[in-house]
Amino acid sequence: MIGKGKVGCQRGRQVADITAIHGVTRPLIHVRSVRRKLDIIQSNPSAHGGRGALPSEGGSPSDLLFLAGGERMMLRIKRVPTVVSNYQKDEGEDAARRGGGCGRNCLQKCCIPGAKLPLYTFKRAEEIPGDKCVLEHDDNQAPVAFLDSLLLGQWEDRMQRGLFRYDVTACETKVIPGRCGFMAQLNEGRHLKKRPTEFRVDKVLQPFDGNKFNFTKVGQEEVLFQFDASEDGEVQFFPDAPVDADSSPSVVAINVSPIEYGHVLLIPRILECLPQRIDRESFLLALYMAIEAGNPYFRLGYNSLGAFATINHLHFQAYYLAVPFPIEKAPTRKVTTLGDGVKISELFDYPVRGLVFEGGNTLQDLSNAVSDACIFLQDNNIPHNVLIADCGKRIFLLPQCYAEKQALGEVSSELLDTQVNPAVWEISGHMVLKRKKDYEEASEENAWRLLAEVSLSEERFEEVKALIFEACSYTLSEKEDEHLTQGAGDDKPPLEGTGSINKGRNCNMVSGTQECLVLQ
């Protein structure tokens, strides 16, 4: 066992700075630029800029069902698949050849007995993290957190071992001229060599299917470490800890088709085989990972089904990027403050309409507000994306309808030809482009036009926003009633989900000042 600040291997102490060319390592520092081959992108550090963003999840040519106007229509949508594990490609054919036994050293029953993986345990916190993660406008180095060093060291190790499908550090990247600062990356190899994957866009909630690819089928060498709460309240690292199948550990694994440096997957309670849907416990785990990394350049993202998640096994994505995301710099307008102190604002002057959650009396309050909003969206079949920024202090919730428009033939062929599926990273302003033509012609106007197709209409967004507020406030009211009832000796269980939002009008919100513009 090793305490915080000490990594049990040399690889953990020497991590790759994202200014490094492939194969060159150096201690992690507060970077001011991103260097790729001969291209340099100058960053513009701000209080909400950082070195981390998540990849979009694609699809593949397939027949998709979409429910519109009460009638089922069979519609064909060309989608670009994403391989996130080396064992995803041709997995069906390999299984047929194997017959009995696995031989992959995977995370299923065949290989898990006796397995050992590194374990990082975090201390549960009540308070929302302070300003240690906020980028300053001076040359002071940001503190290097232990988890940050561990993650980067392990990721770099997997890169040296050749586990990734391509060298993402060789991908051309640039900041698109304009006031928003959209970023473009040319990643021609990410959508190649992919097998077609059937994927429905008409349902946000779909049952887990163990016959399809899921993260229990990845090789253990792709797992960086287990990530769980400490039992004794101390941050600890165990280089070689047994995998307890009964407790179903959460794990951090590489994405073998990375969008950026340090691109990883957080898979909550992996052996429970949870479908891609938010729950309170899993979302709080994602917030803890953002806090433990302690790096404003590291962000986590979530894509629901219907919003370009392609693996129906609960996971978050995360990566580093040393420039502010345009969405982080976008102005916001305060809408309301919940009774537990969580402030909800609305994005202003940005192509995609969305909400921003921050504050709260406790970290649990902030986490519950966002997760309850997500639960409402998924229960009402509204696709959405989530970006966790500022070390967990700010969360962007972005309902979207691009796949719906695709199915209805409402997206121009010009946009469809780009094969860009706007998931959390694209919506946040990091455009991953597959064609050199699109990269060379990238402009703020083109990026804005694509993202505008993602957004709900103003009328529809206002309806969804009102129902989200009602769902959050109803949950708060139920929580208060629970405390009162339990005081009288009743063991009333906590409210699960937000399916009961129409059962009452217990509004427990404190209205915020309208038109309060916040410029980042």
Side-chain angles (χ1 to χ4, degrees):
M1 181 189 74
I2 300 176
K4 185 171 184 177
K6 299 179 180 178
V7 184
C9 62
Q10 185 64 26
R11 292 292 315 156
R13 284 190 289 269
Q14 287 290 324
V15 298
D17 169 28
I18 56 173
T19 61
I21 301 297
H22 176 59
V24 180
T25 59
R26 64 185 75 175
L28 179 66
I29 61 172
H30 185 174
V31 296
R32 292 289 177 177
S33 64
V34 181
R35 186 185 304 273
R36 280 196 179 52
K37 300 299 181 183
L38 298 178
D39 297 327
I40 299 178
I41 302 171
Q42 293 299 330
S43 66
N44 180 22
S46 72
H48 304 296
R51 178 185 60 183
L54 298 168
S56 66
E57 303 179 5
S60 67
S62 58
D63 289 330
L64 306 176
L65 280 175
F66 184 75
L67 186 62
E71 299 181 357
R72 278 197 182 276
M73 303 180 294
M74 179 64 75
L75 299 159
R76 183 177 298 275
I77 295 179
K78 284 189 176 182
R79 304 184 65 246
V80 179
T82 298
V83 172
V84 296
S85 168
N86 286 316
Y87 297 111
Q88 183 179 355
K89 183 182 178 184
D90 300 328
E91 188 268 338
E93 292 84 347
D94 288 348
R97 287 195 298 266
R98 286 196 311 270
C102 173
R104 287 180 166 178
N105 198 28
C106 67
L107 293 173
Q108 296 184 315
K109 292 181 179 179
C110 52
C111 300
I112 207 69
K116 292 184 177 182
L117 292 169
L119 168 64
Y120 179 94
T121 64
F122 60 87
K123 180 180 179 181
R124 294 186 184 276
E126 290 295 329
E127 297 181 356
I128 295 172
D131 295 332
K132 69 174 183 176
C133 297
V134 176
L135 287 177
E136 303 292 343
H137 292 271
D138 54 35
D139 293 327
N140 293 333
Q141 285 193 1
V144 179
F146 174 71
L147 178 63
D148 202 39
S149 299
L150 172 65
L151 186 150
L152 289 171
Q154 293 291 312
W155 192 91
E156 177 75 5
D157 173 75
R158 300 317 191 271
M159 183 166 71
Q160 298 286 350
R161 289 159 61 179
L163 296 185
F164 295 101
R165 300 177 64 80
Y166 50 81
D167 179 9
V168 72
T169 66
C171 295
E172 294 182 64
T173 299
K174 64 183 178 182
V175 175
I176 300 173
R179 63 182 179 86
C180 293
F182 290 116
M183 295 158 285
Q185 179 195 99
L186 176 61
N187 195 329
E188 296 176 288
R190 192 165 197 265
H191 71 298
L192 302 175
K193 305 175 184 177
K194 313 293 186 184
R195 65 184 180 89
T197 305
E198 182 179 352
F199 181 77
R200 296 183 65 177
V201 297
D202 63 321
K203 279 191 174 184
V204 174
L205 296 180
Q206 300 179 34
F208 180 87
D209 186 349
N211 293 321
K212 295 183 178 180
F213 174 81
N214 62 80
F215 296 114
T216 66
K217 298 180 180 182
V218 306
Q220 293 179 28
E221 70 276 8
E222 295 183 20
V223 178
L224 302 185
F225 51 86
Q226 305 173 71
F227 182 71
D228 280 305
S230 174
E231 296 180 356
D232 57 9
E234 295 294 332
V235 176
Q236 297 174 331
F237 177 64
F238 303 85
D240 205 26
V243 177
D244 186 354
D246 294 333
S247 65
S248 186
S250 300
V251 302
V252 175
I254 60 171
N255 187 329
V256 300
S257 298
I259 285 181
E260 260 299 345
Y261 188 88
H263 189 175
V264 295
L265 307 169
L266 171 64
I267 309 162
R269 312 194 304 279
I270 184 171
L271 301 181
E272 290 184 25
C273 296
L274 303 169
Q276 183 74 344
R277 60 182 299 172
I278 291 288
D279 62 76
R280 282 188 168 188
E281 181 181 350
S282 298
F283 193 80
L284 182 59
L285 182 75
L287 283 189
Y288 273 121
M289 185 174 183
I291 294 170
E292 288 296 310
N295 191 326
Y297 297 136
F298 181 78
R299 306 166 183 90
L300 289 95
Y302 173 84
N303 301 316
S304 78
L305 298 182
F308 302 106
T310 54
I311 306 299
N312 188 20
H313 189 175
L314 181 57
H315 65 286
F316 297 82
Q317 300 196 42
Y319 63 77
Y320 292 85
L321 191 66
V323 289
F325 273 72
I327 199 171
E328 296 174 318
K329 301 184 295 179
T332 59
R333 182 167 45 204
K334 180 180 176 183
V335 178
T336 191
T337 301
L338 302 178
D340 57 7
V342 175
K343 183 179 78 171
I344 305 178
S345 302
E346 181 178 343
L347 287 172
F348 181 77
D349 194 24
Y350 194 74
V352 181
R353 296 178 176 89
L355 299 175
V356 186
F357 293 72
E358 56 191 321
N361 299 328
T362 66
L363 182 66
Q364 184 83 53
D365 291 334
L366 177 59
S367 178
N368 286 349
V370 180
S371 56
D372 288 344
C374 292
I375 289 169
F376 163 78
L377 292 176
Q378 60 198 23
D379 285 349
N380 286 274
N381 204 33
I382 301 174
H384 55 281
N385 309 91
V386 181
L387 177 72
I388 300 174
D390 288 352
C391 302
K393 294 193 295 295
R394 284 206 306 167
I395 299 117
F396 297 80
L397 177 58
L398 305 150
Q400 70 145 294
C401 60
Y402 191 79
E404 177 183 341
K405 288 183 176 180
Q406 276 185 298
L408 295 174
E410 297 176 359
V411 180
S412 70
S413 59
E414 183 181 359
L415 290 179
L416 292 177
D417 287 344
T418 66
Q419 301 183 3
V420 174
N421 291 321
V424 62
W425 305 126
E426 285 80 8
I427 293 174
S428 299
H430 190 197
M431 317 302 293
V432 181
L433 304 174
K434 283 88 174 178
R435 301 188 307 181
K436 193 171 185 63
K437 172 180 179 291
D438 298 322
Y439 179 79
E440 293 175 343
E441 298 176 358
S443 66
E444 182 167 281
E445 180 183 359
N446 289 341
W448 190 286
R449 188 155 57 94
L450 171 66
L451 295 183
E453 293 291 339
V454 176
S455 181
L456 301 185
S457 67
E458 183 176 0
E459 180 181 6
R460 187 176 176 188
F461 178 73
E462 289 299 320
E463 294 173 355
V464 170
K465 182 175 69 175
L467 291 173
I468 286 175
F469 292 163
E470 185 176 350
C472 292
S473 61
Y474 187 88
T475 304
L476 282 172
S477 298
E478 286 291 308
K479 181 179 178 181
E480 292 179 355
D481 292 343
E482 174 192 344
H483 291 327
L484 292 174
T485 306
Q486 286 181 346
D490 187 5
D491 294 328
K492 179 181 178 181
L495 179 68
E496 294 293 337
T498 56
S500 55
I501 62 172
N502 295 320
K503 295 181 180 178
R505 296 279 179 178
N506 302 330
C507 188
N508 194 35
M509 294 186 291
V510 179
S511 297
T513 303
Q514 296 291 335
E515 303 301 329
C516 178
L517 200 61
V518 181
L519 296 174
Q520 304 298 342

